[in-house]
Amino acid sequence: MNIYESCPTFVTQRYVIRLVRREDAPGLLSVYRDKNAQPYFNADNCTSNFRYTTYREMRECVDMWVWSYENGWFVRWVILEKNAPIGTVEMFRRDDGDDGRGCGVLRMDVKGSSEFDDVFDELLDAMLQPMHEHFGCAEILTKAPSFAMQRRSSLKKNGFLPAKPMRLKNGLVCCDYWSHRA
């Protein structure tokens, strides 16, 4: 199955994780203007820092996510708890960098009030193995800064190990990544 032709929805005990839609922008603004959540967002090699304060900024970002999915760049899912967004998950396959790694990159952005290991455990339990399959990658990388103790705890429990820094084509070196192998 080509994920860019048919995107799966994941359902867990607490969450519905589905492809982001333009109408999600108002609810997602509460996530991306949350000052407690912002330090955890992974904006490596992105055109913004994902810190939004207006509906217009959030709408433009969601429009870009939808466009990127439609053009096969990456998939961005919204995480819904009782029909209200608590965050997003992004996944794409990375084939650049001088290290020759072809791997998946997973971004998980959640509200500060959801930055707990049990939230990440539930998301990873539902999505990790299917992502290896959908994106055709033996390795998935995700960022967890040193202060993200709950996130790191979940990554360890779910089989992630610290990864070496990545060097991108533009020379940017990205640190604090963790690696999961299928």
Side-chain angles (χ1 to χ4, degrees), residues 111-145:
K111 285 182 169 182
S113 60
S114 296
E115 185 70 35
F116 294 103
D117 60 347
D118 65 317
V119 173
F120 295 109
D121 288 346
E122 196 164 331
L123 296 174
L124 291 169
D125 185 58
M127 301 182 79
L128 191 57
Q129 281 312 124
M131 286 187 174
H132 278 289
E133 296 163 16
H134 289 304
F135 290 89
C137 51
E139 180 182 26
I140 292 178
L141 298 172
T142 193
K143 188 167 187 159

Side-chain angles (χ1 to χ4, degrees), residues 10-66:
F10 303 92
V11 180
T12 72
Q13 185 176 350
R14 293 183 288 182
Y15 309 115
V16 173
I17 308 150
R18 63 150 170 81
L19 186 63
V20 71
R21 301 175 189 152
R22 287 180 172 91
E23 59 265 23
D24 294 323
L28 286 170
L29 183 57
S30 67
V31 175
Y32 288 92
R33 71 174 168 203
D34 180 348
K35 292 185 187 305
N36 294 322
Q38 291 173 348
Y40 297 89
F41 298 160
N42 176 0
D44 288 353
N45 210 32
C46 293
T47 58
S48 83
N49 59 11
F50 300 114
R51 290 167 172 87
Y52 302 124
T53 57
T54 68
Y55 169 71
R56 180 180 177 179
E57 292 171 325
M58 191 75 247
R59 187 192 73 233
E60 289 172 355
C61 180
V62 171
D63 285 345
M64 186 272 301
W65 290 341
V66 170

Side-chain angles (χ1 to χ4, degrees), residues 24 26-28 30-31 78-88 111:
D24 294 323
L28 286 170
S30 67
V31 175
V78 62
I79 307 163
L80 300 169
E81 181 176 36
K82 298 179 183 172
N83 295 318
I86 65 152
T88 65
K111 285 182 169 182

Side-chain angles (χ1 to χ4, degrees), residues 47-180:
T47 58
S48 83
N49 59 11
F50 300 114
R51 290 167 172 87
Y52 302 124
T53 57
T54 68
Y55 169 71
R56 180 180 177 179
E57 292 171 325
M58 191 75 247
R59 187 192 73 233
E60 289 172 355
C61 180
V62 171
D63 285 345
M64 186 272 301
W65 290 341
V66 170
W67 181 91
S68 295
Y69 173 76
E70 291 170 348
N71 287 276
W73 287 76
F74 58 81
V75 181
R76 182 71 73 146
W77 288 268
V78 62
I79 307 163
L80 300 169
E81 181 176 36
K82 298 179 183 172
N83 295 318
I86 65 152
T88 65
V89 174
E90 177 183 297
M91 180 73 178
F92 63 93
R93 183 175 166 86
R94 175 184 175 270
D95 291 313
D96 67 343
D98 62 13
D99 58 10
R101 284 197 259 190
C103 60
V105 176
L106 173 66
R107 299 180 201 270
M108 297 183 288
D109 298 341
V110 297
K111 285 182 169 182
S113 60
S114 296
E115 185 70 35
F116 294 103
D117 60 347
D118 65 317
V119 173
F120 295 109
D121 288 346
E122 196 164 331
L123 296 174
L124 291 169
D125 185 58
M127 301 182 79
L128 191 57
Q129 281 312 124
M131 286 187 174
H132 278 289
E133 296 163 16
H134 289 304
F135 290 89
C137 51
E139 180 182 26
I140 292 178
L141 298 172
T142 193
K143 188 167 187 159
S146 59
F147 56 82
M149 301 308 295
Q150 295 276 322
R151 189 177 295 230
R152 284 184 169 207
S153 171
S154 175
L155 293 175
K156 288 177 190 175
K157 282 190 277 184
N158 285 280
F160 281 81
L161 298 171
K164 66 181 182 176
M166 290 185 294
R167 179 177 302 280
L168 305 181
K169 284 183 181 178
N170 63 7
L172 179 67
V173 177
C174 302
C175 300
D176 292 324
Y177 278 83
W178 290 67
S179 170
H180 184 273

Side-chain angles (χ1 to χ4, degrees), residues 1-10 69 77 130-131 133-136:
M1 173 176 90
N2 182 339
I3 198 158
Y4 294 104
E5 293 174 3
S6 177
C7 186
T9 295
F10 303 92
Y69 173 76
W77 288 268
M131 286 187 174
E133 296 163 16
H134 289 304
F135 290 89

